[in-house]
Amino acid sequence: MVDRISPLAALAAAAPTIAAARLAAPPPLARVTLRTAAPLALPIGQPLNRALIAGDIASLRLGPDEYLLLAPDLAPILAATTGQPAAAVDISHRQTAITLTGPHAADVLNAFCALDLALSAFPPGMCTRTLLAKAEIILWRTASDAFHIEVARSFAPYVWQCLEEGRLEFA
């Protein structure tokens, strides 16, 4: 397990409970950006802007040769990428995650994000780099009513507050 505390722990503890759209700061993850065109012992090769999970590793394909790998620990990522023709950079301390779940999660996101988040346009497993208000995020739809948001640690409180503001409509 990555030995860190989320920079959003205090905000998460103070967040009101709104069942229509729940915000959470998940446990810290290991994060690696990977640039490669070679097949690895990972679920890469998936279509662009899609995420796949194999074992403990989630692989988000963000570009033709760009992947974001997420895992509870760095060891499985390193084991899968060692000895391969790839550029792997540990960005675990640069980013953090926010999860948004509930029947109105997409509506809350759309208060600050212009993407079409209808299930037909952005189904589960889809991921992309986009903007939420003025912050760059990586948005991954993990289920029909659930999103995983990757954001730079310095922008995390700002993104959290935007999402809190969007949730107020459903309080």
Side-chain angles (χ1 to χ4, degrees), residues 90-155:
D90 181 2
I91 59 165
S92 301
H93 288 81
R94 180 181 83 186
Q95 291 180 189
T96 193
I98 299 170
T99 58
L100 179 62
T101 60
H104 289 286
D107 299 323
V108 169
L109 282 165
N110 276 149
F112 294 93
C113 180
L115 285 178
D116 181 356
L117 296 176
L119 279 170
S120 59
F122 202 87
M126 188 135 205
C127 60
T128 192
R129 186 175 278 117
T130 189
L131 291 175
L132 189 133
K134 295 185 178 190
E136 181 181 306
I137 63 168
I138 294 172
L139 182 63
W140 171 23
R141 185 175 222 147
T142 56
S144 61
D145 65 347
F147 294 88
H148 177 99
I149 301 162
E150 286 285 316
V151 62
R153 292 171 69 87
S154 59
F155 278 98

Side-chain angles (χ1 to χ4, degrees), residues 4-171:
R4 271 187 316 282
I5 296 173
S6 170
L8 299 169
L11 290 173
T17 301
I18 300 173
R22 295 174 299 281
L23 270 177
L29 294 169
R31 294 169 175 83
V32 171
T33 58
L34 181 71
R35 294 280 186 153
T36 185
L40 303 178
L42 291 171
I44 71 165
Q46 71 259 34
L48 194 59
N49 294 333
R50 295 292 181 173
L52 293 176
I53 299 173
D56 286 342
I57 302 173
S59 170
L60 286 67
R61 187 171 185 197
L62 302 172
D65 68 346
E66 179 186 5
Y67 298 84
L68 173 63
L69 307 177
L70 307 171
D73 191 287
L74 198 55
I77 295 173
L78 294 176
T81 58
T82 299
Q84 301 295 326
V89 179
D90 181 2
I91 59 165
S92 301
H93 288 81
R94 180 181 83 186
Q95 291 180 189
T96 193
I98 299 170
T99 58
L100 179 62
T101 60
H104 289 286
D107 299 323
V108 169
L109 282 165
N110 276 149
F112 294 93
C113 180
L115 285 178
D116 181 356
L117 296 176
L119 279 170
S120 59
F122 202 87
M126 188 135 205
C127 60
T128 192
R129 186 175 278 117
T130 189
L131 291 175
L132 189 133
K134 295 185 178 190
E136 181 181 306
I137 63 168
I138 294 172
L139 182 63
W140 171 23
R141 185 175 222 147
T142 56
S144 61
D145 65 347
F147 294 88
H148 177 99
I149 301 162
E150 286 285 316
V151 62
R153 292 171 69 87
S154 59
F155 278 98
Y158 169 74
V159 168
W160 184 279
Q161 292 300 332
C162 288
L163 295 171
E164 281 288 22
E165 186 176 327
R167 286 181 350 123
L168 292 178
E169 181 178 340
F170 303 101

